[in-house]
Amino acid sequence: GPEEDGAWREPTLLLVDDVHRADEDELRRLRRVLAGLEPGSAAAVTYRPEELPVPGMPLGGSAMTYPFRLTVLRDRLAPWDEERVRRAAEEVLGESCTAEAMSALRERTGGVPRAVVDLLAMLREQRPAFTGTAAEVAAAGVPTRLAELVLSRTYALSPAHRPLVWAAAVLDGPAARDELIAVAGLGAVPGSDALLRALESAALAELGEGRYGFAVPLAAAAVRDTVPGPVRQDLHRRAARALGRRQPVAWAAVGEHHRAAGECRGWLRAVEKAAESAASSGRHQEAIALLERTLATPGIPPQARARLAPLLARNAVTGLRSDQTVEVLEQIVRDADLPPAVRGELRLDLGLMLSNQMGRFEEGWRVLEVAAAELREVRSVLAARAMAALVTPYWPGASLDVHRGWLIKASAAADDSGDDAMRTAVLANHVGLAMSWADPEAWDLVERLPVQSTDPACVRQAARGLCNAADSAVWLGFYRRVDGLLTEGRELATRSGAPYTEHSASGTRLLQEFWTGQWLGLAKRCEEFVADTADMPFLSSDAYVVRGLLAVAQGDWGEARSWLSQRGTFGTENLPVPLGATAAGAVIRLTLARQEVADAAEQARAAWTVVAEKGVWPWAAELAPWAVEALARAGDTATAHSMVRDFAQGLGEADAPAARAALAWSRAVLAESEALAEERPDGLLAAAETYRKAAAAYAELPRPYSQALTTECAGRCVLAADAAGSAGPASPPVPACDRAATASAIAELESCAQHFTDLGAVWDATRARALLRTRQPAKKGRPPGRPSHSDQLSPREAEVAQLASSGLTNREIAATLHLSPRTVEQHIAGAMRKTGALSRRDLAHRI
């Protein structure tokens, strides 16, 4: 201990805690000890600065005389930053430490270490176990230590001053002096006095220049819970008025204060304004969440429901939303208290969501028909909108003629309404309808879209019309026009706030890149798009199909079926007709490759029925060649002929380049099948010429993958004709022109194999090389100096291993490479032995 004069004779570290609680005698003794510190000694003195009797004077009211040689430093502990809070949370919560929870934890504690540690302890003890959501952090409550501290400070104030702290608790955030006084219901002079007393007692703190509140945000809840109910309602009522004077007005917060005050009308008006404000700035999800929460509250008056429900529907259709909103709308339209016009408007939006965002076309169509009937008598603008939606031809079911009939009605209703935005909406759907079946006037309709309009509603519809045109141009095969349409359409959609149109355009872009051979990184782009639209998988259906088509070409057939079936996110029968036909064509191709011919024929008949019922024949382009091949190989040549005939008649003189090329391809498939059945080499050569016509048509588009496929088919026919003409010892010698044709076919196949390789179509490249080897068999024996494959894979083993690692069965590999399953099995065994692979999948990493 110290000597009588308070000095320490040995080097000493002195620790003194909670000096703010010391009485005068203790402070006098501490001052004497500090004054007597010798060189080599130090003291650490801690205190709460807000609780000192004299601010800034921890050792009493008179100035301390420090020894000359004593260095005096003052350090104020700062709140923890995000990284420090995260480390503390990880130590306590482990895997439940999510970014969402960390953000809420730091926001509610202000980063004050004691509050962070205590709240983490509460979260650790939660039952059921804490899962890492912000809602759980908010529901945890206030740590006991913090609650008792803030309440002791609050109730140390006189009853006249206490309402100011209550006002801060109700406002729950930094507030100006005048706001606090107004909410507390005090006059200017007593209010200012109350604020000074609250600051002196540390019940409140200055959080910024002229802004006051609780040092730890959590503390507000502890105080608020102790305020008597009637008093609390009065505070909330005055808080609503005070926040209503701020600019810009935080309408959501104003609404919560009205609700807590029991002012239902004020609450609902504020909710409406908050949702409108969020929607106008593109924050549709925020508006939707607020409106859903409000409408789910029991006892909402019918008049308020009639105002808020359409606002929810508009946000849901314009923004991106899951089936939760559909469920809300389905409940609202059953509300008998809603006026017919409002119910019809909601039914319209429900139909649009079911069709455009959920992919439930059949339900959506029925709902839209009812909406059109409900609205026809009361609101011509919305009636036109419902009818315009029924013009859109992409959905399975209704025929092209039905859509044309709705176009006539929608155009008349839009003209009657006198609404320019509605006229543009009808025009945008007219563009989609006309482009779908290659109406010669379609491009003139595109030019009529008011892209220069200053009305945001018109611009949104013009953007949709341009993106409709771009999508149709992809299916028709006008690939060079797509870029300009998409660029302008997306720019208009972004500028006018139409995220659904923007996302639709992204799907069209993926289709365009697949057909035109822009495959580098395309699989990743598809997967990223699917991830970005995970809450609305129908929107990413283009990406699913493109990813599946890539998997087919790459030989990853297990993945291909998964992607083509939309990975079970919704029924493929609800895909838009052109996309469904494309997916069906790919599935039929896979089924044929697996030699499951009868199944392929059944799939072809079912898919063809959908396209035929729709009557938009350009959409048969990606289905027809594979469907015709499936039926021809199954022996149903009559139906195959009927398909080709209907396809040709349906197209008529339409300017649809992709469909024209597909028609030539389909005719070639039929010709090849009949020539093989009748063993006519001349028929095979004729089929080859038709295949080449198709290849030339695809080259013009350009569509490199389809061009390579049809060129490969032409080469296959020539080689088959050569083999048939050269069969048997009595066969006449092959004419020189046939030898030249054969040499040309071999060169074509070599070029195809290279094109497939360049694209990344592993399965197609392997198949083309296998076809070449049937005409270029390996020489027997090994020439001198030729390297042995004893330690490395032979070319054939590498090909077999590549296909096996993709998931193909031995039978599928054998069909691709023109080998026997037994030979395939031997090659796989050799490849696994040489590479040390543990499984067929492991080969992918080893080769």
Side-chain angles (χ1 to χ4, degrees):
E3 299 298 330
E4 286 189 12
D5 60 359
W8 295 80
R9 301 307 179 191
E10 300 292 336
T12 304
L13 173 61
L14 183 63
L15 302 178
V16 186
D17 197 15
D18 286 346
V19 170
H20 56 278
R21 296 180 179 174
D23 58 26
E24 283 299 325
D25 288 342
E26 289 168 324
L27 287 174
R28 191 178 304 111
R29 184 166 179 250
L30 177 58
R31 289 160 64 92
R32 189 168 62 250
V33 168
L34 293 176
L37 284 178
E38 292 292 323
S41 293
V45 179
T46 68
Y47 55 90
R48 293 182 186 272
E50 67 271 19
E51 293 193 17
L52 292 174
V54 180
M57 303 290 286
L59 301 177
S62 58
M64 168 75 181
T65 304
Y66 297 103
F68 175 72
R69 295 182 180 277
L70 185 63
T71 300
V72 182
L73 302 174
R74 181 174 294 176
D75 182 37
R76 184 160 191 148
L77 295 179
W80 282 348
D81 60 15
E82 291 182 10
E83 174 60 22
R84 187 65 187 85
V85 172
R86 185 186 62 78
R87 291 207 309 271
E90 285 179 343
E91 187 176 326
V92 174
L93 301 176
E95 294 181 358
S96 299
C97 175
T98 63
E100 178 185 343
M102 290 314 88
S103 177
L105 183 66
R106 188 165 189 273
E107 179 183 339
R108 293 182 67 76
T109 62
V112 173
R114 181 75 265 170
V116 172
V117 172
D118 286 351
L119 185 54
L120 283 172
M122 295 173 68
L123 295 176
R124 182 187 59 208
E125 301 302 322
Q126 270 192 355
R127 294 293 179 272
F130 181 68
T131 61
T133 66
E136 289 172 300
V137 176
V142 184
T144 301
R145 197 189 321 257
L146 174 63
E148 291 183 355
L149 176 64
V150 71
L151 290 175
S152 69
R153 292 174 174 178
T154 299
Y155 286 89
L157 294 168
S158 70
H161 297 148
R162 216 170 287 157
L164 194 102
V165 182
W166 293 346
V170 165
L171 286 170
D172 199 10
R177 180 184 62 175
D178 292 344
E179 278 186 343
L180 284 171
I181 293 173
V183 174
L186 302 174
V189 173
S192 295
D193 187 45
L195 178 57
L196 286 174
R197 300 290 83 77
L199 292 171
E200 287 173 359
S201 70
L204 297 180
E206 188 169 6
L207 305 178
E209 189 172 353
R211 312 290 286 181
Y212 306 95
F214 294 94
V216 180
L218 262 175
V223 174
R224 198 164 51 244
D225 288 345
T226 65
V227 180
V231 176
R232 191 171 59 249
Q233 281 194 317
D234 289 339
L235 290 165
H236 279 294
R237 185 177 298 110
R238 292 192 289 266
R241 286 158 179 70
L243 293 187
R245 290 191 287 270
R246 286 183 183 178
Q247 290 299 327
V249 178
W251 286 112
V254 170
E256 282 303 303
H257 285 299
H258 277 303
R259 185 189 59 76
E263 297 177 327
C264 183
R265 291 179 61 187
W267 166 48
L268 294 173
R269 280 197 302 270
V271 165
E272 186 174 2
K273 290 182 178 180
E276 289 173 344
S277 174
S280 66
S281 57
R283 294 176 285 117
H284 297 289
Q285 292 287 23
E286 181 181 323
I288 288 167
L290 175 62
L291 291 166
E292 281 186 336
R293 193 166 59 245
T294 303
L295 286 167
T297 305
I300 300 294
Q303 301 92 326
R305 299 180 73 84
R307 290 199 315 273
L308 297 180
L311 188 55
L312 169 60
R314 284 197 296 275
N315 276 279
V317 173
T318 306
L320 305 175
R321 192 63 174 127
S322 68
D323 55 358
Q324 295 171 1
T325 298
V326 166
E327 292 173 6
V328 172
L329 291 176
E330 286 176 330
Q331 288 194 352
I332 294 173
V333 297
R334 291 195 290 268
D335 189 342
D337 292 331
L338 282 177
V342 174
R343 189 166 52 249
E345 180 179 359
L346 292 177
R347 203 184 303 277
L348 163 61
D349 287 327
L350 173 61
L352 291 172
M353 284 202 71
L354 287 169
S355 303
N356 297 339
Q357 291 166 268
M358 303 301 297
R360 289 155 59 180
F361 291 125
E362 189 174 346
E363 293 174 69
W365 180 272
R366 289 198 300 268
V367 170
L368 286 169
E369 284 186 316
V370 174
E374 278 181 327
L375 293 166
R376 186 180 292 119
E377 301 301 323
V378 288
R379 299 183 68 178
S380 59
V381 174
L382 292 177
R385 188 177 172 206
M387 295 171 187
L390 294 167
V391 172
T392 304
Y394 289 99
W395 310 331
S399 70
L400 181 60
D401 287 339
V402 170
H403 295 297
R404 286 169 174 157
W406 279 113
L407 174 62
I408 294 170
K409 295 176 183 177
S411 298
D415 288 339
D416 290 343
S417 74
D419 187 287
D420 288 339
M422 186 48 59
R423 290 193 185 101
T424 307
V426 174
L427 176 58
N429 286 11
H430 189 179
V431 165
L433 179 65
M435 288 281 288
S436 68
W437 60 277
D439 184 341
E441 297 181 359
W443 293 106
D444 291 335
L445 292 172
V446 174
E447 293 299 319
R448 286 170 47 193
L449 290 167
V451 296
Q452 302 297 329
S453 174
T454 57
D455 180 356
C458 283
V459 173
R460 276 195 293 273
Q461 298 301 338
R464 194 170 58 81
L466 288 170
C467 292
N468 283 351
D471 191 66
S472 293
V474 165
W475 295 116
L476 291 175
F478 293 113
Y479 304 117
R480 292 183 178 89
R481 298 191 185 188
V482 170
D483 287 339
L485 292 168
L486 276 185
T487 300
E488 187 176 9
R490 292 189 69 168
E491 190 275 327
L492 290 178
T494 302
R495 177 153 52 89
S496 60
Y500 182 85
T501 300
E502 287 185 75
H503 281 71
S504 298
S506 297
T508 300
R509 174 73 68 190
L510 296 173
L511 288 165
Q512 157 91 343
E513 289 173 344
F514 178 80
W515 298 131
T516 55
Q518 301 172 63
W519 289 15
L520 185 62
L522 182 55
K524 183 180 179 182
R525 291 195 292 279
C526 289
E527 291 168 13
E528 288 173 347
F529 186 62
V530 167
D532 289 344
T533 54
D535 62 338
M536 197 180 300
F538 174 70
L539 194 59
S540 52
S541 54
D542 291 335
Y544 279 102
V545 171
V546 170
R547 185 64 184 84
L549 294 172
L550 288 169
V552 172
Q554 293 160 351
D556 198 350
W557 290 359
E559 281 289 289
R561 282 193 177 274
S562 174
W563 286 106
L564 291 169
S565 65
Q566 309 290 299
R567 292 200 158 181
T569 52
F570 63 92
T572 53
E573 70 277 2
N574 284 331
L575 281 172
V577 174
L579 202 59
T582 301
V587 170
I588 292 166
R589 186 187 181 197
L590 279 181
T591 310
L592 288 172
R594 287 176 161 159
Q595 310 301 310
E596 299 165 359
V597 176
D599 286 348
E602 283 305 307
Q603 292 164 355
R605 292 186 187 96
W608 193 261
T609 298
V610 174
V611 177
E613 286 179 351
K614 177 57 65 176
V616 182
W617 289 101
W619 290 347
E622 313 312 323
L623 169 65
W626 309 113
V628 170
E629 180 177 346
L631 290 165
R633 284 174 58 178
D636 189 358
T637 54
T639 304
H641 272 286
S642 175
M643 281 183 176
V644 173
R645 182 177 63 252
D646 291 346
F647 190 15
Q649 290 176 349
L651 284 179
E653 300 300 319
D655 187 11
R660 293 278 166 212
L663 178 58
W665 187 353
S666 303
R667 284 170 168 157
V669 168
L670 201 53
E672 179 187 11
S673 173
E674 291 178 338
L676 287 172
E678 298 167 7
E679 298 183 353
R680 291 189 299 104
D682 60 327
L684 287 169
L685 293 175
E689 282 306 307
T690 309
Y691 275 124
R692 288 195 180 100
K693 289 179 182 177
Y698 282 122
E700 281 291 315
L701 293 177
R703 264 179 62 165
Y705 183 54
S706 300
Q707 178 189 356
L709 286 174
T710 45
T711 301
E712 178 197 358
C713 292
R716 181 183 66 214
C717 286
V718 172
L719 296 189
D722 185 31
S726 305
S731 299
V734 179
C737 63
D738 287 347
R739 292 195 190 94
T742 301
S744 175
I746 290 172
E748 285 177 334
L749 286 170
E750 289 172 342
S751 175
C752 284
Q754 188 57 52
H755 284 318
F756 287 137
T757 300
D758 292 342
L759 282 169
V762 174
W763 174 52
D764 297 293
T766 304
R767 185 187 62 249
R769 285 194 294 269
L771 182 58
L772 278 168
R773 277 195 297 272
T774 63
R775 300 298 304 209
Q776 299 170 333
K779 296 178 181 177
K780 293 187 178 181
R782 183 180 298 131
R786 181 178 178 183
S788 167
H789 294 296
S790 58
D791 296 326
Q792 60 183 11
L793 297 186
S794 69
R796 186 63 61 86
E797 284 174 335
E799 287 180 347
V800 171
Q802 180 73 55
L803 295 177
S805 67
S806 295
L808 271 66
T809 65
N810 288 1
R811 190 176 67 166
E812 292 161 356
I813 298 170
T816 298
L817 300 180
H818 306 287
L819 300 172
S820 70
R822 176 62 180 162
T823 302
V824 170
E825 185 179 340
Q826 292 170 345
H827 284 314
I828 292 174
M832 292 179 67
R833 184 182 68 253
K834 291 179 182 180
T835 61
L838 302 177
S839 66
R840 293 164 75 101
R841 274 288 181 186
D842 192 29
L843 277 172
H845 305 290
R846 305 275 186 166
I847 53 178

